[in-house]
Amino acid sequence: MKYVRFHTITIISGLLLVGACRPAAPPVTPQPATKPAVKPIDLTPRVVPQPASLTRGTGAPFVITATTGIVVDAGAGQVQPIGETLAMLLRKSTSFPVLVSQAGGTAAPGTIRLRLANDRQSLGEEGYELTVASDSVVLVAYRPAGLFHGVQTIRQLLPSAIESEIGLERDWAIPALTIADQPRFPWRGGMIDVGRHFLTVREVQQFIDLLALYKMNVLHIHLTDDQGWRIQINSRPRLTAVGSLSQMGGGPGGFFTQQDYTDIVRYAQARYITVVPEIEMPGHSWAALTTYPELTCKPRPPDPYTGPDLGWSALCPDKEVTYAYIDDVIKEVAAITPGPYLHIGGDEVASLSDSQYVKFIGRAQDIVNKYGKVMIGWEEITKAKLKPATIAQMWKSDSVTAALSYGSKLILSPATHAYLDMQYTPETELGLHWSGYVEVRDAYDWNPATFAPGLTESNVLGIEAPIWGETVRNIGAVNYMSVPRLPALAEVGWTPQAGRDWDSFRSRIAAHAPRWRYLGVNYYPSPQIPW
Ligand code: ACM
């Protein structure tokens, strides 16, 4: 309420000055009319990722009050839920009613207006334009995803307390400004590994919330590994009945029913995030092989595996039963995945010959395509002949030349910058360090378009931040490994290179810590950030 109070005091001091002119009045000390009664709140925008263009206005801020409403375009069915999302965020912390209404024409003063504009194609699939003045907030996009991202910007322009679950009294002010924003790359992802340690549906949704706050648009779920199988396959019930009962280091494991998975997909869709399921093959497949030992080339006792070794297990590329099995699995996973992609892993296969591996990847690619999906695999798949639409995910070395020779685009997840399962420093408890330590600045300071010879702005599809699950057992650990590195990588993927600056990032992200505390998000208090 400080802005209201400020105006009230200005008026009162004006009255006092008027009063001072009357002869009978006692002497009063004139008050400077413009001096605020209270320290003004800091309205510096600290948006992450940094918008492509942001111009501060000179006028007063927009202040959300008990009469503020949200107006959405009449007839645009996808705008209403985005308006409701914003209203729900505002209602819980402000305790104001924040009504959402549909209207055409110009919005009444004091409203936040969300509008889809057919003639703003230049904003692309995810861009938006935000204009904030003292009497209105106008958010325009060409597509709903742009409106959703713009709402995240409005959220970050408001005080951190906007994230509170209980009503608080604050100056709910948004600084006057104009933002024109759209992402640098179309793919900005995070990956979680429920194969090593299972996470619940709610935990996965909490990770989705974090992705959404930082305008990321892909959730890659690594659903199977040597240590556990985590997705129900109706035609192969033993995969979960047997293969889900283990996890790394021992413990109960777990799995998602197809309904659970659909709940995750829907939750992500409502936040304009595409779910990419990964069914790991031919390696990292021991949990499946304990239930179908006939699918190995070299049988061994089908005991659950809970250790850390990798590279040793593989489906047998020389047996037709192997392809019948992956057909069954891919068919069902494709059917419950509305997004266009299916990830087959393909990494770290030490127990097959190159010719066996190449044969397997070619057959897997055909099966993924048969069920209408684009295949993605870790960079090792570039040993096989890829179709141009197939996507390689780089993580360690120079697979760029091979990928580009097929016309494939690349997702960049270099372990030295983007692996969120690496320790921040030797002192941080969780994580591994086989690719080195990844402090926040390491996650931030690299340029995807020049990262390796042959890469350009247009053959990079985007970036993705994997959190492998060896040491990560719950959402508290996921968040600690993600924050603040995931926001740093979100900015790598979103903001034009010329608009990125480490000193700017570190001062902006420092201001997000109170927001994470309201949200209950655990984070690493890096000494590189001026908290
Ligand atoms: C990987 O880290 N094995 C993709």
Side-chain angles (χ1 to χ4, degrees):
M1 292 289 103
K2 288 184 193 110
Y3 276 90
V4 175
R5 217 180 293 148
F6 166 77
H7 291 303
T8 311
I9 284 175
T10 307
I11 293 161
I12 289 170
S13 42
L15 289 174
L16 289 173
L17 283 170
V18 170
C21 297
R22 296 211 316 246
V28 291
T29 312
Q31 300 291 314
T34 53
K35 189 171 173 229
V38 289
K39 191 169 165 275
I41 55 165
D42 181 2
L43 287 167
T44 309
R46 293 196 174 87
V47 180
V48 174
Q50 175 70 31
S53 149
L54 185 158
T55 310
R56 292 288 305 266
T58 51
F62 181 89
V63 180
I64 296 174
T65 67
T67 60
T68 302
I70 297 174
V71 177
V72 299
D73 271 358
Q78 288 165 298
V79 185
Q80 177 84 23
I82 300 171
E84 286 295 344
T85 300
L86 176 59
M88 273 157 61
L89 173 82
L90 303 181
R91 280 176 201 144
K92 63 183 171 55
S93 43
T94 66
S95 303
F96 299 145
V98 195
L99 300 180
V100 181
S101 57
Q102 297 206 344
T106 44
T111 58
I112 300 172
R113 182 168 184 198
L114 311 188
R115 187 165 70 87
L116 280 185
N118 286 334
D119 58 346
R120 301 306 310 279
Q121 202 158 356
S122 61
L123 291 172
E125 290 299 308
E126 296 188 284
Y128 66 93
E129 227 169 58
L130 176 66
T131 311
V132 181
S134 61
D135 62 349
S136 68
V137 173
V138 179
L139 179 61
V140 178
Y142 178 60
R143 294 278 191 230
L147 288 181
F148 184 81
H149 294 319
V151 163
Q152 305 313 309
T153 297
I154 293 173
R155 182 177 172 189
Q156 291 192 17
L157 291 169
L158 280 158
S160 311
I162 205 69
E163 311 293 353
S164 171
E165 289 293 332
I166 53 165
L168 297 172
E169 276 217 19
R170 288 288 188 285
D171 298 296
W172 302 113
I174 310 176
L177 48 64
T178 306
I179 289 177
D181 199 11
Q182 57 183 294
R184 176 180 179 188
F185 295 112
W187 188 290
R188 304 172 309 282
M191 189 211 85
I192 44 168
D193 168 13
V194 294
R196 267 53 174 265
H197 286 105
F198 185 61
L199 298 171
T200 64
V201 171
R202 184 62 202 128
E203 286 176 309
V204 177
Q205 290 172 340
Q206 286 173 280
F207 185 60
I208 292 172
D209 289 340
L210 191 62
L211 294 174
L213 175 60
Y214 292 105
K215 301 188 176 78
M216 298 187 95
N217 62 358
V218 173
L219 171 69
H220 169 178
I221 316 186
H222 181 79
L223 284 164
T224 68
D225 213 301
D226 291 325
Q227 296 87 352
W229 182 278
R230 309 293 181 215
I231 180 75
Q232 176 186 19
I233 302 294
N234 293 323
S235 59
R236 302 270 179 165
R238 277 161 51 211
L239 285 169
T240 45
V242 178
S244 77
L245 304 178
S246 48
Q247 68 181 42
M248 189 149 172
F255 70 94
F256 300 127
T257 64
Q258 294 199 356
Q259 185 58 52
D260 290 338
Y261 178 80
T262 299
D263 290 346
I264 290 170
V265 165
R266 291 218 180 104
Y267 192 89
Q269 273 180 323
R271 288 152 186 80
Y272 295 89
I273 289 173
T274 300
V275 171
V276 177
E278 179 181 341
I279 305 295
E280 179 78 83
M281 60 185 83
H284 289 272
S285 50
W286 188 248
L289 292 170
T290 60
T291 70
Y292 296 106
E294 66 275 21
L295 302 184
T296 51
C297 295
K298 296 175 200 146
R300 67 180 239 175
D303 302 325
Y305 182 72
T306 59
D309 294 343
L310 35 83
W312 52 273
S313 67
L315 300 168
C316 189
D318 306 328
K319 296 181 174 176
E320 272 314 303
V321 283
T322 294
Y323 301 105
Y325 154 79
I326 67 171
D327 193 296
D328 284 348
V329 172
I330 288 172
K331 179 181 178 180
E332 284 193 40
V333 175
I336 55 173
T337 300
Y341 309 104
L342 202 146
H343 202 304
I344 56 110
D347 58 317
E348 297 178 314
V349 187
S351 62
L352 299 180
S353 68
D354 274 1
S355 68
Q356 283 178 308
Y357 179 81
V358 164
K359 175 166 92 177
F360 179 90
I361 296 297
R363 294 278 301 263
Q365 181 174 240
D366 289 342
I367 293 169
V368 171
N369 293 167
K370 178 172 98 178
Y371 291 112
K373 300 297 177 192
V374 173
M375 188 178 93
I376 306 178
W378 297 103
E379 65 178 71
E380 285 93 327
I381 64 164
T382 56
K383 287 186 203 152
K385 185 163 172 15
L386 303 182
K387 297 189 182 150
T390 294
I391 297 164
Q393 185 164 5
M394 181 201 197
W395 62 282
K396 57 173 183 177
S397 66
D398 183 21
S399 56
V400 174
T401 314
L404 297 180
S405 72
Y406 305 118
S408 296
K409 291 203 176 198
L410 284 123
I411 299 164
L412 302 192
S413 300
T416 45
H417 299 273
Y419 265 35
L420 302 187
D421 56 308
M422 292 297 109
Q423 283 168 278
Y424 289 90
T425 71
E427 284 73 44
T428 50
E429 185 194 337
L430 296 176
L432 308 174
H433 54 260
W434 57 262
S435 81
Y437 300 97
V438 179
E439 248 289 6
V440 183
R441 187 167 189 167
D442 301 307
Y444 188 81
D445 254 349
W446 61 290
N447 179 359
T450 57
F451 186 70
L455 291 177
T456 63
E457 198 74 23
S458 58
N459 61 28
V460 173
L461 194 56
I463 58 104
E464 195 179 286
I467 311 175
W468 295 100
E470 284 91 338
T471 68
V472 176
R473 297 180 178 83
N474 52 47
I475 187 65
V478 168
N479 284 339
Y480 183 80
M481 300 310 268
S482 301
V483 183
R485 291 184 293 196
L486 188 89
L489 287 155
E491 187 154 309
V492 173
W494 181 281
T495 308
Q497 188 66 21
R500 295 215 288 122
D501 174 69
W502 164 249
D503 282 327
S504 159
F505 174 77
R506 62 199 281 272
S507 72
R508 278 178 288 118
I509 204 66
H512 288 227
R515 192 173 295 270
W516 301 328
R517 289 196 285 270
Y518 277 113
L519 290 167
V521 168
N522 194 18
Y523 66 96
Y524 164 59
S526 167
Q528 297 184 331
I529 309 293
W531 304 108

